[in-house]
Amino acid sequence: MPLRARQRCHALLAALVALIATAVLAAAPSASAADTWTEAGSDRADPLTESQGLTSVEVPAGAANRYTGIGTIPIGVSTRGWNHVGDPDASYDGHYIEPYQADSGTAKMYRVQAPNGTWSEYVHALSPGEALNNSWVAVSPDGQWMLSGEWGTMTRFLVFPTPGVNASTSPSANLPQAATVTLDHAVRDVQGCDFLSATQLLCSSDDPAGTLFGYTKPLLQIDLTAAPTGSANVTGHVTALRQLPLRSGCSGTFEAEGIDYDRRTGTLRVIVVSPGFCVLTDSKTYRFTRS
């Protein structure tokens, strides 16, 4: 090939490579879009009453943070088979919601305390292919929609009308699944999620394998293409931000549990249960701040 022809060919290839690189970079999620959460302290987590989940409650003003564990399940609830409680959440108007599951069956239950203190129960009959477990709930900032997840390796979250808040719900009727959040990357053993904004969540994963993101027990950020509603499915972009703290006087398997973001203080909290005997002594609720 003549020199000038080769030069023109090389120039064309270089331009083509630059164009492809530009397109790839434009399509890829920006690293700066993911926040950095820095550990800011910790508190002991009681293994009976603070080992499953937690949430901050804005109404009434000055309300204490709420926690769940095997010791918080009322006798009248557990004797009816609802013997596991997950990570709760609260709407900004003060409705507090706990997710329950049983060892077997075809339904999940959401126990709701209204701002006036009264309790009610909402039962969801499983959809075909839906997992039985009920590990967590996350209420959207507008209060109308509630996300919930399934155990194992999953590529979706489920969307429900928020029981007790959304006018379409009733304790005497089945709580229906309204839509789906389809995730662009698989997640494993999510134990809790909480909304930072209408289109962004943080989630705690108890992933024991570390094959999905390169390390175990990741803190995940989920960016939604739109705020969840009951009228349409949305997509969630998954980013692994960091490994949750795994420190204890005992060696063995830690368990990442519930998560809470308090918008009033900007504080993120995540429960990590220690292995072995140290579950009693040094399980922690870790606090994080955003930078």
Side-chain angles (χ1 to χ4, degrees):
M1 181 184 294
L3 177 60
R4 288 184 179 178
R6 288 200 304 272
Q7 289 174 333
R8 286 196 300 270
C9 183
H10 291 163
L12 179 61
L13 288 173
L16 182 60
V17 168
L19 181 62
I20 293 173
T22 300
V24 169
L25 288 173
S30 171
S32 63
D35 292 321
T36 298
W37 290 91
T38 303
E39 187 179 337
S42 64
D43 303 289
R44 178 180 176 270
D46 181 83
L48 290 178
T49 61
E50 300 176 345
S51 59
Q52 294 297 317
L54 72 169
T55 191
S56 48
V57 180
E58 297 189 16
V59 177
N65 295 326
R66 304 284 291 266
Y67 292 84
T68 56
I70 190 172
T72 69
I73 302 175
I75 294 293
V77 174
S78 61
T79 55
R80 287 184 286 116
W82 304 113
N83 57 10
H84 182 277
V85 62
D87 184 40
D89 200 9
S91 62
Y92 294 157
D93 72 351
H95 284 79
Y96 168 73
I97 304 172
E98 295 178 340
Y100 282 84
Q101 69 186 63
D103 291 335
S104 62
T106 58
K108 303 173 181 179
M109 191 267 280
Y110 300 90
R111 187 167 177 261
V112 181
Q113 186 176 38
N116 65 6
T118 60
W119 288 92
S120 54
E121 296 179 1
Y122 296 75
V123 175
H124 163 67
L126 300 183
S127 302
E130 181 180 347
L132 177 64
N133 77 290
N134 196 15
S135 296
W136 58 273
V137 293
V139 179
S140 62
D142 67 3
Q144 293 300 303
W145 305 100
M146 179 182 75
L147 270 57
S148 183
E150 300 162 280
W151 192 251
T153 303
M154 292 289 169
T155 56
R156 69 174 186 176
F157 293 153
L158 309 178
V159 182
F160 300 91
T162 305
V165 181
N166 191 302
S168 70
T169 64
S170 169
S172 62
N174 177 59
L175 182 70
Q177 180 183 340
T180 301
V181 174
T182 301
L183 305 175
D184 68 355
H185 190 291
V187 297
R188 183 178 293 125
D189 298 350
V190 171
Q191 292 276 50
C193 290
D194 208 358
F195 279 90
L196 273 72
S197 70
T199 58
Q200 189 176 78
L201 301 100
L202 289 181
C203 301
S204 53
S205 166
D206 190 44
D207 180 3
T211 54
L212 295 177
F213 300 102
Y215 48 87
T216 63
K217 320 296 182 183
L219 173 66
L220 304 175
Q221 179 176 305
I222 314 293
D223 292 288
L224 307 178
T225 52
T229 68
S231 59
N233 298 334
V234 299
T235 299
H237 173 64
V238 182
T239 304
L241 301 182
R242 57 164 294 163
Q243 186 179 54
L244 294 169
L246 304 176
R247 296 194 298 272
S248 173
C250 299
S251 60
T253 301
F254 292 81
E255 186 169 7
E257 293 286 356
I259 191 170
D260 173 67
Y261 175 70
D262 190 335
R263 64 173 181 164
R264 297 165 298 180
T265 63
T267 301
L268 175 71
R269 296 180 301 142
V270 184
I271 298 172
V272 179
V273 174
S274 295
F277 176 81
C278 289
V279 67
L280 301 174
T281 59
D282 61 16
S283 296
K284 294 286 196 302
T285 297
Y286 290 94
R287 300 188 303 274
F288 303 86
T289 56
R290 178 165 43 187
S291 57

